[in-house]
């Protein structure tokens, strides 16, 4: 199950990267600069600046002007209909899929160097009450409370978790 989900997410990443590389603004940037990595904040900022989004990517932080291509900035650019809007929306999606693949699926693969699967084949998250000021439970190693449950990717991630026979996973 884990390998299938990992394969699907990695396939989605590759397909989306290919679609991004075929966008006219990206092809032009790659011709001018040799290459383009959609997950590089510096290259993305340079590209967006080169097509007229310098005002959109410039933010003020502690009284200093800085360039930002965070999801808020990309959402703003993506909401428009100008050059770069398709790129901005695709990069937001690419970042989400890449995060899900690397953060939530990758460590569940026993062959991964960052595997969180124990010798018994199970994941043993640690639930703690002492880490919160409100008395609620927190979860770590892995934080299974934090994966995106309402998205299609999140639903696929959820299928990678199964309780041993005679036990149940409950959601409160």
């Amino acid at each position: 199950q884990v390998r299938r989900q990992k394969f699907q997410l990695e396939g989605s990443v590759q397909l989306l990267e290919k679609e991004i590389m075929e966008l006219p603004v990206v092809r032009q940037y790659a011709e001018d600069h040799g290459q383009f990595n959609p997950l590089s904040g510096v290259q993305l900022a340079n590209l967006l600046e080169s097509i007229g989004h310098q005002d959109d990517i410039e933010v003020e932080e502690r009284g200093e002007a800085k360039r930002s291509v965070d999801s808020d900035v990309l959402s703003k650019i993506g909401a428009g209909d100008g050059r770069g809007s398709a790129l901005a929306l695709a990069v937001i999606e690419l970042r989400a899929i890449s995060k899900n693949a690397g953060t939530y699926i990758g460590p569940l693969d026993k062959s991964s160097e960052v595997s969180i699967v124990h010798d018994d084949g199970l994941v043993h998250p640690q639930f703690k009450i002492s880490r919160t000021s409100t008395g609620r439970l927190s979860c770590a190693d892995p934080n299974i409370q934090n994966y995106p449950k309402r998205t299609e990717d999140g639903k696929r991630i959820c299928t990678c978790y199964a309780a041993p026979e005679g036990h149940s996973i409950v959601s409160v």
Side-chain angles (χ1 to χ4, degrees):
Q1 186 69 356
V2 170
R3 287 208 172 107
R4 185 172 70 233
Q5 298 305 333
K6 184 177 178 184
F7 181 74
Q8 283 182 334
L9 285 175
E10 287 172 350
S12 296
V13 166
Q14 290 172 353
L15 183 64
L16 200 48
E17 284 177 336
K18 185 176 184 235
E19 289 174 16
I20 289 170
M21 297 309 289
E22 292 172 356
L23 292 170
V25 294
V26 174
R27 281 198 316 247
Q28 183 63 51
Y29 183 89
E31 282 177 26
D32 295 345
H33 298 89
Q35 65 180 18
F36 177 71
N37 175 358
L39 294 175
S40 165
V42 172
Q43 289 182 10
L44 182 59
N46 289 342
L47 186 154
L48 291 171
E49 191 173 66
S50 74
I51 60 172
H53 287 287
Q54 58 269 25
D55 290 340
D56 295 322
I57 65 171
E58 199 164 288
V59 296
E60 194 169 307
E61 189 176 296
R62 294 186 203 107
E64 219 178 294
K66 295 190 180 231
R67 295 187 323 166
S68 173
V69 287
D70 65 13
S71 61
D72 291 338
V73 170
L74 293 178
S75 293
K76 181 179 172 186
I77 293 170
D81 58 1
R83 293 180 73 197
S85 61
L87 171 62
L89 295 174
V91 168
I92 291 170
E93 186 177 354
L94 178 63
R95 286 176 177 175
I97 294 171
S98 295
K99 178 177 180 171
N100 290 339
T103 303
Y104 303 112
I105 296 292
L108 292 176
D109 185 354
K110 284 175 122 177
S111 64
S112 169
E113 60 187 55
V114 292
S115 179
I116 56 173
V117 180
H118 292 255
D119 292 337
D120 62 2
L122 301 175
V123 174
H124 299 277
Q126 297 177 22
F127 290 93
K128 298 183 179 190
I129 200 165
S130 60
R131 287 190 173 176
T132 66
S133 60
T134 61
R136 291 183 288 160
L137 285 175
S138 69
C139 184
D141 301 323
N143 183 355
I144 60 174
Q145 296 173 311
N146 206 29
Y147 71 89
K149 297 162 190 68
R150 291 182 177 88
T151 66
E152 287 305 312
D153 286 343
K155 290 173 186 171
R156 285 198 296 267
I157 291 167
C158 185
T159 65
C160 294
Y161 293 96
E165 195 163 323
H167 295 82
S168 299
I169 296 176
V170 290
S171 177
V172 187

